[in-house]
Short mmCIF file of all heavy atoms in Angstrom, two decimals:
data_model
loop_
_atom_site.label_atom_id
_atom_site.label_comp_id
_atom_site.label_asym_id
_atom_site.label_seq_id
_atom_site.Cartn_x
_atom_site.Cartn_y
_atom_site.Cartn_z
N ILE A 30 16.86 -11.76 12.50
CA ILE A 30 16.52 -11.91 13.90
C ILE A 30 15.56 -10.79 14.30
O ILE A 30 15.69 -9.65 13.84
CB ILE A 30 17.79 -11.88 14.78
CG1 ILE A 30 17.43 -12.10 16.25
CG2 ILE A 30 18.56 -10.59 14.60
CD1 ILE A 30 18.66 -12.24 17.15
N ASN A 31 14.58 -11.14 15.11
CA ASN A 31 13.65 -10.17 15.67
C ASN A 31 13.51 -10.47 17.16
O ASN A 31 13.07 -11.55 17.55
CB ASN A 31 12.27 -10.27 15.01
CG ASN A 31 12.32 -9.92 13.53
OD1 ASN A 31 12.35 -8.77 13.15
ND2 ASN A 31 12.32 -10.95 12.71
N LEU A 32 13.89 -9.49 18.00
CA LEU A 32 13.83 -9.66 19.44
C LEU A 32 13.00 -8.54 20.05
O LEU A 32 13.13 -7.38 19.67
CB LEU A 32 15.23 -9.62 20.05
CG LEU A 32 16.18 -10.77 19.72
CD1 LEU A 32 17.56 -10.51 20.33
CD2 LEU A 32 15.63 -12.09 20.23
N THR A 33 12.14 -8.89 21.00
CA THR A 33 11.35 -7.90 21.71
C THR A 33 10.99 -8.43 23.08
O THR A 33 10.91 -9.64 23.29
CB THR A 33 10.06 -7.54 20.94
OG1 THR A 33 9.29 -6.63 21.72
CG2 THR A 33 9.23 -8.78 20.66
N ASN A 34 10.81 -7.53 24.02
CA ASN A 34 10.38 -7.93 25.36
C ASN A 34 8.87 -7.80 25.52
O ASN A 34 8.34 -7.97 26.61
CB ASN A 34 11.08 -7.10 26.43
CG ASN A 34 10.58 -5.66 26.46
OD1 ASN A 34 10.22 -5.12 25.42
ND2 ASN A 34 10.56 -5.05 27.62
N SER A 35 8.18 -7.53 24.43
CA SER A 35 6.72 -7.42 24.48
C SER A 35 6.11 -8.75 24.88
O SER A 35 6.36 -9.78 24.27
CB SER A 35 6.17 -6.98 23.12
OG SER A 35 4.77 -6.93 23.12
N GLY A 36 5.31 -8.74 25.93
CA GLY A 36 4.66 -9.96 26.39
C GLY A 36 5.62 -10.95 27.01
O GLY A 36 5.37 -12.15 26.96
N ILE A 37 6.69 -10.47 27.61
CA ILE A 37 7.71 -11.38 28.14
C ILE A 37 7.15 -12.24 29.27
O ILE A 37 7.62 -13.35 29.52
CB ILE A 37 8.94 -10.58 28.63
CG1 ILE A 37 10.11 -11.52 28.89
CG2 ILE A 37 8.62 -9.76 29.86
CD1 ILE A 37 11.42 -10.82 29.15
N ASN A 38 6.11 -11.77 29.96
CA ASN A 38 5.53 -12.52 31.07
C ASN A 38 4.33 -13.35 30.65
O ASN A 38 3.62 -13.87 31.51
CB ASN A 38 5.14 -11.56 32.19
CG ASN A 38 6.34 -10.85 32.80
OD1 ASN A 38 7.39 -11.47 32.97
ND2 ASN A 38 6.19 -9.57 33.11
N TYR A 39 4.07 -13.44 29.34
CA TYR A 39 2.90 -14.14 28.87
C TYR A 39 3.30 -15.22 27.87
O TYR A 39 4.35 -15.15 27.24
CB TYR A 39 1.90 -13.16 28.24
CG TYR A 39 1.38 -12.14 29.21
CD1 TYR A 39 2.04 -10.93 29.38
CD2 TYR A 39 0.26 -12.40 30.00
CE1 TYR A 39 1.58 -9.99 30.29
CE2 TYR A 39 -0.21 -11.47 30.91
CZ TYR A 39 0.46 -10.27 31.05
OH TYR A 39 0.00 -9.35 31.96
N THR A 40 2.44 -16.21 27.75
CA THR A 40 2.70 -17.33 26.85
C THR A 40 1.87 -17.16 25.58
O THR A 40 0.67 -16.91 25.65
CB THR A 40 2.35 -18.66 27.53
OG1 THR A 40 3.09 -18.78 28.73
CG2 THR A 40 2.68 -19.83 26.61
N TYR A 41 2.52 -17.31 24.44
CA TYR A 41 1.87 -17.13 23.15
C TYR A 41 1.95 -18.42 22.34
O TYR A 41 2.93 -19.15 22.43
CB TYR A 41 2.55 -16.01 22.34
CG TYR A 41 2.35 -14.63 22.90
CD1 TYR A 41 3.17 -14.12 23.90
CD2 TYR A 41 1.33 -13.81 22.41
CE1 TYR A 41 2.99 -12.85 24.40
CE2 TYR A 41 1.15 -12.53 22.90
CZ TYR A 41 1.98 -12.06 23.89
OH TYR A 41 1.80 -10.80 24.39
N PRO A 42 0.93 -18.68 21.49
CA PRO A 42 1.04 -19.83 20.58
C PRO A 42 2.19 -19.67 19.60
O PRO A 42 2.80 -20.65 19.20
CB PRO A 42 -0.32 -19.81 19.85
CG PRO A 42 -1.24 -19.07 20.75
CD PRO A 42 -0.39 -18.03 21.43
N ASN A 43 2.47 -18.43 19.18
CA ASN A 43 3.62 -18.13 18.32
C ASN A 43 4.47 -17.08 19.01
O ASN A 43 3.97 -16.02 19.39
CB ASN A 43 3.17 -17.62 16.95
CG ASN A 43 2.42 -18.67 16.17
OD1 ASN A 43 1.20 -18.64 16.11
ND2 ASN A 43 3.13 -19.60 15.58
N LEU A 44 5.73 -17.36 19.19
CA LEU A 44 6.60 -16.46 19.94
C LEU A 44 6.82 -15.15 19.19
O LEU A 44 6.96 -15.14 17.97
CB LEU A 44 7.95 -17.13 20.18
CG LEU A 44 7.94 -18.35 21.12
CD1 LEU A 44 9.33 -18.97 21.18
CD2 LEU A 44 7.48 -17.93 22.51
N PRO A 45 6.87 -14.02 19.91
CA PRO A 45 7.18 -12.75 19.27
C PRO A 45 8.64 -12.66 18.83
O PRO A 45 8.97 -11.88 17.94
CB PRO A 45 6.85 -11.72 20.35
CG PRO A 45 6.96 -12.47 21.64
CD PRO A 45 6.54 -13.87 21.34
N ASN A 46 9.52 -13.44 19.45
CA ASN A 46 10.93 -13.45 19.05
C ASN A 46 11.13 -14.49 17.96
O ASN A 46 10.64 -15.61 18.06
CB ASN A 46 11.83 -13.77 20.24
CG ASN A 46 11.76 -12.72 21.32
OD1 ASN A 46 11.48 -11.56 21.04
ND2 ASN A 46 11.98 -13.11 22.56
N ARG A 47 11.87 -14.09 16.91
CA ARG A 47 12.02 -14.97 15.76
C ARG A 47 13.48 -15.02 15.31
O ARG A 47 14.17 -14.00 15.28
CB ARG A 47 11.14 -14.50 14.60
CG ARG A 47 9.67 -14.41 14.94
CD ARG A 47 8.84 -13.93 13.78
NE ARG A 47 8.84 -14.86 12.66
CZ ARG A 47 8.13 -14.69 11.55
NH1 ARG A 47 7.40 -13.60 11.41
NH2 ARG A 47 8.18 -15.58 10.59
N PHE A 48 13.93 -16.22 14.95
CA PHE A 48 15.27 -16.43 14.40
C PHE A 48 15.12 -17.31 13.15
O PHE A 48 14.45 -18.34 13.19
CB PHE A 48 16.18 -17.14 15.41
CG PHE A 48 16.28 -16.47 16.75
CD1 PHE A 48 15.35 -16.73 17.74
CD2 PHE A 48 17.29 -15.56 17.00
CE1 PHE A 48 15.43 -16.12 18.98
CE2 PHE A 48 17.38 -14.94 18.23
CZ PHE A 48 16.46 -15.22 19.23
N SER A 49 15.77 -16.91 12.08
CA SER A 49 15.66 -17.71 10.86
C SER A 49 16.91 -17.55 10.01
O SER A 49 17.60 -16.53 10.06
CB SER A 49 14.43 -17.31 10.04
OG SER A 49 14.50 -15.95 9.63
N ILE A 50 17.18 -18.59 9.22
CA ILE A 50 18.31 -18.58 8.30
C ILE A 50 17.82 -19.18 6.98
O ILE A 50 17.02 -20.10 6.97
CB ILE A 50 19.51 -19.37 8.88
CG1 ILE A 50 20.74 -19.21 7.99
CG2 ILE A 50 19.16 -20.82 9.10
CD1 ILE A 50 22.01 -19.75 8.62
N HIS A 51 18.31 -18.59 5.86
CA HIS A 51 17.79 -18.96 4.54
C HIS A 51 18.94 -19.17 3.54
O HIS A 51 19.09 -18.39 2.60
CB HIS A 51 16.84 -17.87 4.03
CG HIS A 51 15.79 -17.46 5.00
ND1 HIS A 51 14.55 -18.05 5.05
CD2 HIS A 51 15.80 -16.52 5.98
CE1 HIS A 51 13.83 -17.49 6.01
NE2 HIS A 51 14.57 -16.57 6.59
N PRO A 52 19.73 -20.19 3.70
CA PRO A 52 20.82 -20.43 2.75
C PRO A 52 20.28 -20.84 1.38
O PRO A 52 19.29 -21.57 1.27
CB PRO A 52 21.62 -21.56 3.40
CG PRO A 52 20.64 -22.26 4.28
CD PRO A 52 19.70 -21.20 4.77
N SER A 53 20.96 -20.35 0.32
CA SER A 53 20.53 -20.69 -1.04
C SER A 53 21.75 -21.01 -1.90
O SER A 53 22.84 -20.46 -1.70
CB SER A 53 19.74 -19.53 -1.66
OG SER A 53 20.55 -18.38 -1.78
N TYR A 54 21.53 -21.88 -2.86
CA TYR A 54 22.57 -22.25 -3.84
C TYR A 54 21.89 -22.41 -5.20
O TYR A 54 21.01 -23.28 -5.36
CB TYR A 54 23.27 -23.54 -3.44
CG TYR A 54 24.28 -24.02 -4.46
CD1 TYR A 54 25.48 -23.35 -4.65
CD2 TYR A 54 24.01 -25.13 -5.24
CE1 TYR A 54 26.41 -23.79 -5.59
CE2 TYR A 54 24.92 -25.58 -6.19
CZ TYR A 54 26.12 -24.90 -6.36
OH TYR A 54 27.03 -25.33 -7.29
#
């Protein structure tokens, strides 16, 4: 997880906040 308030009042093509999960078997 990556969270930041940078640019919270602006719209971006790619969000600065990111959530990801990578399960493997």
Side-chain angles (χ1 to χ4, degrees):
I30 182 173
N31 296 281
L32 293 176
T33 176
N34 71 327
S35 177
I37 192 171
N38 296 321
Y39 298 90
T40 303
Y41 291 85
N43 295 101
L44 293 176
N46 297 332
R47 303 179 65 177
F48 306 86
S49 62
I50 187 170
H51 310 269
S53 63
Y54 176 72

